[in-house]
């Protein structure tokens, strides 16, 4: 289940799965309306790659997906020009990067590379993107300094017609945010030094990530250019805590819905991968397999709790006078809560079965996709509460 080249760095497998699955959806959608698509890997590597063929790098993963999408679009007579830029600071890694990019299988993609520090190269990166093109920026550093601060990212964030996937090194920030020597850095990231001493570990994590996401969401200096944001947690393979958050920014509500669809599938994959990694570790240490998973029981309990919160949310946002819930509404819920779409559907279904809510546009009982948010030209279906 876990490919040999990802053993011991399962978090990279999770990150790469998200990147691959999201890019595929993105390029197939954006390709319908955009003649030129730019992909920019701001911290390209290769890094800790195991595979001789380098297929386990974000470089090969992105170029393979570009190739596949370009061909698939061409089959529908849509011809998109793809451009890709790879930035890397370290000389040794840059030499390896150059070698990877020489591969003939990517010869129909316009590929560029830049060697240097992301911080210094930000203006060159922005001017490399054609003004009329769509751009996707992948920001996957090894640390946070001179990367994730709002002012550092602002030149990229101010570019219209762009999306971003940013690796926010949560665990590294968690360890440093209370150390006085880092106060000035924390202020650059969060606008303040996060005060977390009285908080539980979960509250502390929530505070840190939401402080950052709120600042990022409103970092764009054009107040009419609304940014939407979602994030997904990547956990340590064998420990129950967050290693980093992959923060996604877009200008479009469909982006949030697609990203959350991919995140939900990723959550299932992540659970499986981590279960195997934990099992392998147990076997390595004691020669025995784990008989009973406390984590699985905890996850089940958290899911039940979350479902009851989602049901409360539905009841609060529905009234006896039915109204349509469309894709924009769905994106709003996802952005506000971070819940998965299937749980939102499941909560509505339970309320429907309890006779508390009604979908006025489904003539027969649906078992899974009880609300079609994309019906009626994405305006959705008429939903209402059955009693006050
Ligand atoms: C986490 S690794 C990238 C991994 C790659 N995205 C992947 O998933 O396969 C970060 C890379 O950024 C490079 N790097 C570190 N600091 C940098 C900087 N300031 N500017 C550009 N590259 C940098 C490192 O040498 C390393 O190769």
């Amino acid at each position: 289940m876990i490919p040999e080249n990802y053993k011991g760095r399962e978090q990279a497998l999770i990150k790469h799965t998200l990147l691959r699955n999201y890019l595929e959806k993105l390029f197939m959608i954006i390709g319908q309306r955009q003649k030129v698509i730019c992909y920019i890997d701001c911290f390209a590597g290769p890094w800790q790659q195991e595979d001789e063929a380098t297929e386990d790098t974000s470089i090969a993963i992105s170029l393979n997906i570009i190739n596949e999408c370009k061909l698939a679009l061409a089959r529908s007579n849509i011809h998109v020009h793809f451009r890709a830029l790879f930035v890397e600071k370290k000389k040794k890694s840059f030499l390896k990067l150059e070698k990877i990019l020489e591969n003939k299988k990517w010869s129909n993609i316009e590929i560029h590379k830049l060697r240097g520090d992301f911080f210094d190269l930000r203006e060159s990166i922005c001017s490399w993107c054609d003004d009329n093109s769509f751009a996707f920026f992948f920001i996957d550093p090894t640390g946070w300094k001179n990367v994730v601060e709002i002012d550092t990212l602002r030149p990229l964030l101010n570019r219209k017609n762009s999306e971003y996937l940013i690796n926010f090194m949560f665990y590294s920030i968690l360890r440093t945010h209370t150390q006085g020597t880092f106060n000035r850095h924390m202020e650059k990231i969060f606008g303040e030094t996060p005060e977390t001493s009285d908080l539980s570990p979960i509250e502390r994590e929530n505070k840190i990530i939401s402080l950052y996401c709120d600042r990022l969401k409103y970092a764009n200096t054009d107040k009419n250019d609304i940014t939407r944001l979602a994030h997904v947690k990547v956990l340590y393979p064998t420990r129950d805590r967050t290693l980093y958050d992959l923060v996604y920014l877009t200008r479009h509500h469909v982006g949030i819905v697609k990203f959350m669809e991919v995140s939900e599938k990723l959550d299932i994959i992540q659970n499986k991968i981590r279960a195997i990694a934990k099992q392998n570790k147990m076997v390595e240490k004691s020669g025995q397999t784990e008989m009973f998973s406390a984590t699985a029981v905890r996850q089940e309990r958290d899911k039940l709790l979350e479902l009851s919160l989602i049901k409360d949310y539905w009841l609060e946002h529905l009234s006896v006078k039915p109204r349509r819930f469309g894709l924009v509404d769905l994106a709003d819920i996802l952005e506000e809560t971070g819940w998965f779409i299937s749980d939102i559907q499941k909560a509505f279904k339970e309320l429907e079965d309890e006779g508390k809510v009604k979908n006025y546009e489904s003539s027969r009982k649906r078992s899974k996709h009880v609300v079609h948010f994309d019906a009626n030209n994405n305006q959705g279906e008429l939903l209402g509460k059955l009693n006050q």
Side-chain angles (χ1 to χ4, degrees), residues 46-64:
W47 193 65
Q48 293 187 336
Q49 120 271 356
E50 293 285 331
D51 183 2
E52 270 302 295
T54 59
E55 290 296 309
D56 58 346
T57 64
S58 61
I59 307 156
I61 288 165
S62 56
L63 290 171
N64 283 339

Side-chain angles (χ1 to χ4, degrees), residues 9 12 15-16 19 39 41-49 56-59 61 87-90 93 114 116-121 138-143 145-147 167 169:
R9 53 177 205 124
K15 175 178 70 180
H16 288 165
L19 185 70
Y39 172 83
D41 192 338
C42 301
F43 295 79
W47 193 65
Q48 293 187 336
Q49 120 271 356
D56 58 346
T57 64
S58 61
I59 307 156
I61 288 165
V87 179
E88 171 58 46
K89 183 166 99 173
K90 276 199 189 137
S93 305
L114 273 177
D117 193 311
F118 165 73
F119 188 85
D120 303 329
L121 290 172
F138 182 37
I139 299 161
D140 182 25
T142 34
K145 198 166 163 233
N146 282 344
V147 184
N167 186 335
M169 308 293 291

